[in-house]
Amino acid sequence: MNNKRHFTSKFFRAIALFTLFFILALNNAKAIDTLKDAKTTVSDTAKAGIKAEKEEDISATILHHIGDSHEWHFWGEGENKVAIPLPVILYTKNGFVTFLSNKHDADQHGDSIFTVKGQSMVNFEGKYYYPSATKYADGSYVKVDENNIPINDKPLDVSITKNVLALFISVALLLIIFLNIAATYKKRTGKAPKGMQSALEPFILFVRDDIAIPQLGHKYAKYMPYLLTVFFFVWINNLLGLIPIFPGGTNLTGNIAITCMLALCTFFITTFSGNKSYWKHIFNTPGVPWWLKFPVPLMPLVEFIGIFTKPIALMIRLFANITAGHILILSLISLIIILKSVYVSAFAIPFVLFISLIELLVGFLQAFIFTILSALFIGMAIEEHHAEEHH
Amino acid sequence: MTGSIAGIGAGLAAIGAGIGIGQIGGKAMEGMARQPEAANKIQTAMLIAAAFVEAVALFAVVVAFLTK
């Protein structure tokens, strides 16, 4: 019996390992595929004798990969492009208009005007603008400033973009998993965990015992729903970002808007659950010499700014970590293209594999850090100061 | 040109963060070796401190991106 169990656990471990390597191999295959496309454009520009544009092209490809878009791109460029078109929802001067992104998407250079609901628009580098009256020297109807940033007016864009769809998918996934687990917990109170519940109970207990209780003390139960949500949301999206095929491959937690919303949640919970002593420590810090508070309120000012810098740091940390990871993987593969030698892949591909494994760790670590810092900030806000001696 | 200067700045910040995280990791190791029973607590505290230090380097990276 014991022997059999040992065998199955080994078997599953082997399967898990193989799946992991399969996913990572796919990841590399896809990235190479897209970089091949970059290569064709690179050789075109090389023919034209423009060397600087090559590096521009590769960094543009990388930035395109980590950015948001109106379509879910798989592979190929131009005619051979395989992508899921996503609905575009714009609030124009004539009200809301909706269309699929491939309907008016012949090119993205801003040189073909289309009309929807009596409102003419152009698509310039994946974004929709109102066209200027005249055509500019580069053939587009969009005026750009010296940094190549368009200055035309644009409609309010509330489209279901790639990131929004990825958000829907991950939220659906979270709801399926955790509604299932919640139902099992209700049904099996006091019994041993079963199925999906036993797979994720260690993580739920980890959040409770290693994050919530040490930081929040006996009042932890009130904040557990938020901490669990934030932990699993960040973690699942970090992991989905590492999967190259359809439901994954987006850079959702590397999107500043998403991390901004998460940080805002922490900010509001911290601010609204702050007790009297928390605010006293901010505006009238005990144990600080009086000349730091009066005539110039230096200390209160610093403490007040600290309320905002903490969530901002939270936001930038997650954003920069995940974005840097994605850029790192893509840049290492780009080395093959930049150095124009297939032998570089002997170094680049194992290194990408290694970095991908590190990214698995970073994905978990960042979810942990985001959650523990949220708990820490909330803990600072609800802490009771019984005695004054520890100042 | 501004891009490469921003890159140098990000590199300098990475040196600072590297020293910082090295110190944190080294001291945490020392602490754990002295008191193995407190290893869990030390590890958590180490990760939090490392996150704060690392954030500085990441700020530099973001600034480097913005100025590019």
Side-chain angles (χ1 to χ4, degrees):
Chain A
M1 180 64 201
N2 195 16
N3 202 8
K4 198 184 160 200
R5 259 177 67 194
H6 187 67
F7 170 74
T8 39
S9 93
K10 232 183 181 177
F11 179 68
F12 277 118
R13 227 179 286 162
I15 285 199
L17 207 65
F18 269 112
T19 324
L20 189 72
F21 274 96
F22 181 65
I23 288 170
L24 292 175
L26 265 179
N27 196 355
N28 298 342
K30 192 198 165 199
I32 288 172
D33 214 46
T34 46
L35 281 160
K36 264 186 202 151
D37 304 328
K39 198 179 181 178
T40 47
T41 28
V42 167
S43 60
D44 287 348
T45 48
K47 268 177 207 155
I50 305 163
K51 197 169 172 259
E53 215 151 283
K54 186 182 85 175
E55 276 156 26
E56 285 282 295
D57 223 52
I58 282 178
S59 63
T61 311
I62 290 174
L63 288 180
H64 170 81
H65 264 266
I66 60 167
D68 202 359
S69 136
H70 281 294
E71 60 182 16
W72 201 308
H73 184 252
F74 291 115
W75 57 79
E77 291 291 328
E79 292 284 298
N80 308 317
K81 186 162 79 177
V82 180
I84 302 177
L86 296 171
V88 178
I89 305 164
L90 301 173
Y91 184 70
T92 65
K93 288 168 191 161
N94 294 347
F96 279 105
V97 295
T98 37
F99 53 88
L100 274 183
S101 67
N102 64 348
K103 201 179 166 200
H104 301 289
D105 196 24
D107 67 296
Q108 303 190 342
H109 308 300
D111 52 3
S112 61
I113 296 178
F114 58 89
T115 311
V116 193
K117 223 174 164 186
Q119 177 63 56
S120 52
M121 274 175 286
V122 289
N123 184 349
F124 186 74
E125 289 174 355
K127 290 202 177 73
Y128 294 92
Y129 294 93
Y130 297 129
S132 311
T134 52
K135 208 168 184 166
Y136 293 100
D138 58 346
S140 79
Y141 288 94
V142 176
K143 193 174 187 182
V144 290
D145 64 7
E146 64 269 23
N147 293 326
N148 224 15
I149 292 163
I151 50 174
N152 279 39
D153 279 348
K154 56 183 172 185
L156 183 67
D157 195 341
V158 284
S159 310
I160 298 180
T161 55
K162 187 175 151 186
N163 277 342
V164 178
L165 185 60
L167 182 65
F168 288 164
I169 290 171
S170 61
V171 167
L173 203 64
L174 278 172
L175 280 178
I176 290 168
I177 295 172
F178 284 96
L179 288 181
N180 178 5
I181 291 181
T184 328
Y185 266 115
K186 259 186 202 137
K187 214 161 53 193
R188 296 173 59 84
T189 320
K191 290 185 196 162
K194 193 187 171 193
M196 190 87 88
Q197 188 194 2
S198 51
L200 283 168
E201 195 173 89
F203 297 106
I204 297 170
L205 291 184
F206 168 73
V207 172
R208 190 191 71 184
D209 296 339
D210 286 351
I211 297 177
I213 293 178
Q215 311 297 340
L216 298 169
H218 64 280
K219 280 190 232 158
Y220 77 95
K222 198 175 153 194
Y223 300 98
M224 269 303 276
Y226 174 66
L227 295 178
L228 280 173
T229 309
V230 119
F231 178 79
F232 283 106
F233 180 80
V234 173
W235 192 28
I236 272 200
N237 281 312
N238 285 348
L239 291 186
L240 280 179
L242 289 175
I243 300 175
I245 42 181
F246 168 62
T250 52
N251 187 20
L252 194 65
T253 35
N255 183 310
I256 194 101
I258 295 282
T259 57
C260 178
M261 272 318 295
L262 290 173
L264 269 182
C265 290
T266 300
F267 170 71
F268 282 126
I269 291 176
T270 313
T271 311
F272 287 123
S273 56
N275 59 14
K276 214 172 117 192
S277 88
Y278 171 68
W279 294 112
K280 193 188 165 207
H281 272 250
I282 284 170
F283 290 114
N284 187 15
T285 320
V288 167
W290 61 269
W291 46 267
L292 276 175
K293 300 175 196 164
F294 186 79
V296 187
L298 201 61
M299 207 56 197
L301 203 67
V302 169
E303 288 280 348
F304 184 70
I305 293 168
I307 302 177
F308 302 101
T309 50
K310 280 183 284 188
I312 288 172
L314 214 54
M315 166 178 94
I316 305 269
R317 182 178 300 113
L318 184 58
F319 159 75
N321 255 301
I322 303 304
T323 306
H326 282 241
I327 290 177
L328 187 58
I329 290 177
L330 289 167
S331 321
L332 279 172
I333 293 174
S334 308
L335 277 183
I336 305 168
I337 316 292
I338 293 169
L339 299 177
K340 280 190 193 156
S341 161
V342 76
Y343 300 109
V344 179
S345 55
F347 152 79
I349 299 298
F351 206 59
V352 166
L353 211 65
F354 171 67
I355 296 288
S356 300
L357 286 170
I358 287 200
E359 282 306 304
L360 284 177
L361 174 73
V362 168
F364 178 80
L365 201 64
Q366 287 309 315
F368 167 66
I369 297 241
F370 197 100
T371 318
I372 201 165
L373 288 182
S374 295
L376 193 78
F377 298 153
I378 297 169
M380 280 155 85
I382 61 170
E383 197 182 2
E384 303 278 356
H385 292 273
H386 295 297
E388 290 290 304
E389 72 263 34
H390 54 255
H391 292 305
Chain B
M1 193 61 202
T2 49
S4 36
I5 294 171
I8 291 171
L12 287 175
I15 292 176
I19 294 171
I21 291 183
Q23 291 265 348
I24 293 166
K27 296 283 177 192
M29 285 282 184
E30 228 169 75
M32 280 186 225
R34 279 165 192 263
Q35 259 178 312
E37 65 274 19
N40 273 335
K41 275 186 179 175
I42 293 173
Q43 199 170 25
T44 313
M46 179 191 79
L47 282 177
I48 296 173
F52 281 124
V53 174
E54 183 197 46
V56 178
L58 291 170
F59 284 146
V61 172
V62 170
V63 170
F65 268 121
L66 288 179
T67 50
K68 198 180 161 190

